[in-house]
Amino acid sequence: MATEGVDRRAKYQRIADTLRDAIHAGDYAPGDRLPGENDLMATHGVARMTARQALGLLQSEGIAESRKGAGVFVRSFRPLRRRGVERLSRERWGAGLSVWSADIGDRTLVVDQLSVAEEPAAEGVARVLGIGTGEAVCVRRRRFVLDGKPVLLAVSSLPAALVGGSAITERDTGPGGTYARLAELGFAPAHFREEVRSRMPSQDETGRLGLAPGTPVVLVCRTAFAADGRVVEVNEMTLDSASYVLEYDFDA
Amino acid sequence: MATEGVDRRAKYQRIADTLRDAIHAGDYAPGDRLPGENDLMATHGVARMTARQALGLLQSEGIAESRKGAGVFVRSFRPLRRRGVERLSRERWGAGLSVWSADIGDRTLVVDQLSVAEEPAAEGVARVLGIGTGEAVCVRRRRFVLDGKPVLLAVSSLPAALVGGSAITERDTGPGGTYARLAELGFAPAHFREEVRSRMPSQDETGRLGLAPGTPVVLVCRTAFAADGRVVEVNEMTLDSASYVLEYDFDA
C-alpha cells in the first residue's frame, strides 16, 4: 500500500505535497500566504492549470483557504476546546498538555438564533426518549456564535409530557437553564452519553454555519439520563469542525 | 438566515434537495440506487450536466456514492461503535439507545500493517510526554482493518527511556499488549484523555484508509496517564468517519 518505486503522483499532487510538507515543517505558519499560481508556474515549470490544481487540492483538504483577490493562505486552526466531562479532571491530571493548541480561555459562545416549539417526535429521537414516534416533544433549536462566526447548531428534544408547563418551553428558561429546570421537576441529569461522528455538511448546514469549502461537520448526540435511568433529553449538535476540539477525560 | 421568498437555489441544487429529502424520508434506503442522469433529465427537464451536478453534490456531501458502471447509490452508514469509556456504563445506563444505528457486536478489528521504531520525538508529542523535542520515543504504527476495509491508523508514542528493553519495543508486545507491559514496568495507565476533531484527509490518508470521495477523517488523540500523573503514551489515531461512531459516557 505504501508509495514505493516509481513516483506515480501527478504533477499537481507533487507540488501540493511539497507545499504541505513545508506547512507541516513550519515554513508557512497559519495565516501565511502560500506561493501564488505565477510563483508555482515559475518554480516548478508547470502550466497555470497545474498550479491551480495544486492549490485547489490543499484547499479541498482544508489546510489552506482562498481569500478573494488576495491569494491562498494557510488556514488557522484555533479551535475551541469543548469538555465533555467538566468535573475536576484538569486539576488532577494537568492542563495544557495537548498535541493540538486550542483556546481554553474566556471566549464566550452567544446564542444568536433561538426557536422553541412543540413537535411530534421523529423516530430516532422517540426511541431514545422511550416515547412513541409522533408523541409530543419540546424542541429547542439554537445557533451559537463565537466572535461573530456561527460554530454550533443545537437541537434539544425533551418529552412534552415531562417538561410541559415549565420554563423549558419558554424562550428564556431562567437561571441555570434547562438542566436547572429539569432538576426542579425531579429529573436532574445524573449521567450523560455523547456519541460523536463526522461527515461533510449539507448545503443548509454550510450556509447556517458559514463553513469554508472542504470543512466537515462534527455531529455530537448528547443523551441526558436522570438518576432513575430515564432519558430526559436528546441534544443533537452540529459543530464546525474547524472551530472545535472535543475533549473527554475518564479513568482506566 | 433561512431560505425565504424567491427560491435562489440553482436547478441542480433543487434536484439534489429533492433527492436528499427522499433519502431522509426513507424512500431510498442505504444501498439503494438513486435515479440516473437519464432519469433526472426526463423527470426534471434538465441538461445532462445539471443532472450530473445534482448527483455530484450528494456524493460530495457523503450521502451517496458512485459505483463504476452501476450508478449512484445511497451510502450505507453502518459504523463501528467505539467506546472511550469501557467500564459498566452500559449495564447501568442501558444499551441500544441511540439515534444512530451502529454495530456493537462481534466484528473484529485486525492489524494488517505494523511497524515499530525508535525515533526522535516531534515537538507536540514531546510536549505532551514531558520530554525534550528530539528525545527518543518508541513509535508503534498500526493500521486496523475491518472486514477487509482499512478503518483506523494509529501512531502510538512512548518515551524510550520508559519502555526501552521491554516487549513494547517488539512487534509482538505479548498478552495484554502495551498496557499490560506498562503495568509491569510500574506505569499502568490510570487515566485517559481523548481529544477529538475532524478534517478532510490528506492524499496519503485517503489512500491508506481507502476513503470514498467526500469522506472526512476523525482524529482522536489519546493521552494515557499513570497514577502519579506522568504521561506514558500519546496515541494519535486517524479514523475513517464513515466507519465509526465514538461514544463517551460520564456522570453529571
Side-chain angles (χ1 to χ4, degrees), chain B residues 99-184:
Chain B
V99 171
W100 302 317
S101 61
D103 279 330
I104 315 196
D106 49 5
R107 294 157 83 197
T108 319
L109 284 178
V110 175
V111 175
D112 80 328
Q113 293 180 358
L114 167 68
S115 71
V116 188
E118 191 171 300
E119 299 177 9
E123 195 208 328
V125 168
R127 189 175 61 243
V128 177
L129 289 176
I131 63 177
T133 301
E135 268 190 59
V137 280
C138 169
V139 181
R140 303 182 57 83
R141 291 188 170 80
R142 288 173 294 174
R143 185 174 80 165
F144 292 83
V145 174
L146 176 74
D147 302 337
K149 159 82 179 68
V151 294
L152 165 64
L153 308 173
V155 180
S156 162
S157 302
L158 308 99
L162 198 71
V163 303
S166 80
I168 293 172
T169 64
E170 312 284 332
R171 288 177 61 85
D172 181 359
T173 51
T178 295
Y179 290 167
R181 297 297 83 71
L182 280 172
E184 289 162 6

Side-chain angles (χ1 to χ4, degrees), chain A residues 1 5 8 46 78 91 100 107 116 130 169 175 180 193 199 212 217-218 222 224:
Chain A
M1 294 297 296
R8 292 180 200 284
V46 296
R78 182 174 169 268
E91 282 178 26
W100 301 316
R107 293 157 82 197
V116 189
T169 64
R193 176 170 301 151
R199 60 163 168 71
V217 284
V218 173
R222 169 185 267 226

Side-chain angles (χ1 to χ4, degrees), chain A residues 88-147:
Chain A
L88 298 175
S89 51
R90 277 279 159 182
E91 282 178 26
R92 174 93 198 271
W93 299 103
L97 289 173
S98 176
V99 171
W100 301 316
S101 61
D103 280 329
I104 314 196
D106 49 5
R107 293 157 82 197
T108 319
L109 285 178
V110 176
V111 174
D112 80 327
Q113 293 180 358
L114 168 68
S115 71
V116 189
E118 191 170 300
E119 299 178 9
E123 195 208 328
V125 168
R127 189 176 61 245
V128 178
L129 289 176
I131 63 177
T133 301
E135 267 189 61
V137 280
C138 169
V139 182
R140 302 183 58 82
R141 289 189 172 78
R142 287 172 296 175
R143 186 173 79 165
F144 292 83
V145 174
L146 175 74
D147 302 337

Side-chain angles (χ1 to χ4, degrees), chain A residues 196-216:
Chain A
V196 182
R197 46 179 285 221
S198 170
R199 60 163 168 71
M200 289 310 284
S202 67
Q203 290 283 312
D204 178 60
E205 290 163 344
T206 299
R208 295 195 66 204
L209 287 171
L211 298 173
T215 308

Side-chain angles (χ1 to χ4, degrees), chain A:
Chain A
M1 294 297 296
T3 343
E4 286 169 334
V6 184
D7 191 340
R8 292 180 200 284
R9 295 174 298 169
K11 265 189 204 161
Y12 80 93
Q13 287 178 328
R14 267 179 271 173
I15 298 172
D17 289 352
T18 306
L19 289 171
R20 194 187 305 104
D21 288 348
I23 292 168
H24 288 160
D27 300 342
Y28 300 103
D32 279 0
R33 186 178 176 282
L34 291 173
E37 291 175 11
N38 292 332
D39 303 320
L40 294 176
M41 288 161 66
T43 311
H44 297 275
V46 296
R48 180 171 304 279
M49 188 49 68
T50 306
R52 190 170 296 169
Q53 279 182 304
L55 292 170
L57 181 55
L58 296 176
Q59 291 171 67
S60 74
E61 290 174 6
I63 61 183
E65 62 188 342
S66 168
R67 297 185 200 151
K68 281 163 221 135
V72 176
F73 294 78
V74 180
R75 186 184 285 182
S76 303
F77 182 64
R78 182 174 169 268
L80 273 181
R81 183 167 291 275
R82 175 185 180 277
R83 300 224 180 90
V85 189
E86 292 290 343
R87 293 179 297 179
L88 298 175
S89 51
R90 277 279 159 182
E91 282 178 26
R92 174 93 198 271
W93 299 103
L97 289 173
S98 176
V99 171
W100 301 316
S101 61
D103 280 329
I104 314 196
D106 49 5
R107 293 157 82 197
T108 319
L109 285 178
V110 176
V111 174
D112 80 327
Q113 293 180 358
L114 168 68
S115 71
V116 189
E118 191 170 300
E119 299 178 9
E123 195 208 328
V125 168
R127 189 176 61 245
V128 178
L129 289 176
I131 63 177
T133 301
E135 267 189 61
V137 280
C138 169
V139 182
R140 302 183 58 82
R141 289 189 172 78
R142 287 172 296 175
R143 186 173 79 165
F144 292 83
V145 174
L146 175 74
D147 302 337
K149 160 80 180 67
V151 293
L152 166 64
L153 309 173
V155 180
S156 162
S157 301
L158 308 101
L162 197 72
V163 303
S166 80
I168 292 172
T169 64
E170 313 283 334
R171 287 178 61 86
D172 181 358
T173 51
T178 295
Y179 290 169
R181 297 297 83 69
L182 279 173
E184 289 162 6
L185 292 166
F187 297 105
H191 186 79
F192 296 102
R193 176 170 301 151
E194 295 199 349
E195 297 168 281
V196 182
R197 46 179 285 221
S198 170
R199 60 163 168 71
M200 289 310 284
S202 67
Q203 290 283 312
D204 178 60
E205 290 163 344
T206 299
R208 295 195 66 204
L209 287 171
L211 298 173
T215 308
V217 284
V218 173
L219 307 182
V220 178
C221 184
R222 169 185 267 226
T223 307
F225 299 78
D228 64 357
R230 172 179 195 150
V231 175
V232 293
E233 186 207 21
V234 176
N235 195 345
E236 298 168 286
M237 292 173 269
T238 307
L239 288 63
D240 172 4
S241 66
S243 298
Y244 275 101
V245 168
L246 310 181
E247 182 181 302
Y248 297 96
D249 266 82
F250 48 96
D251 291 329

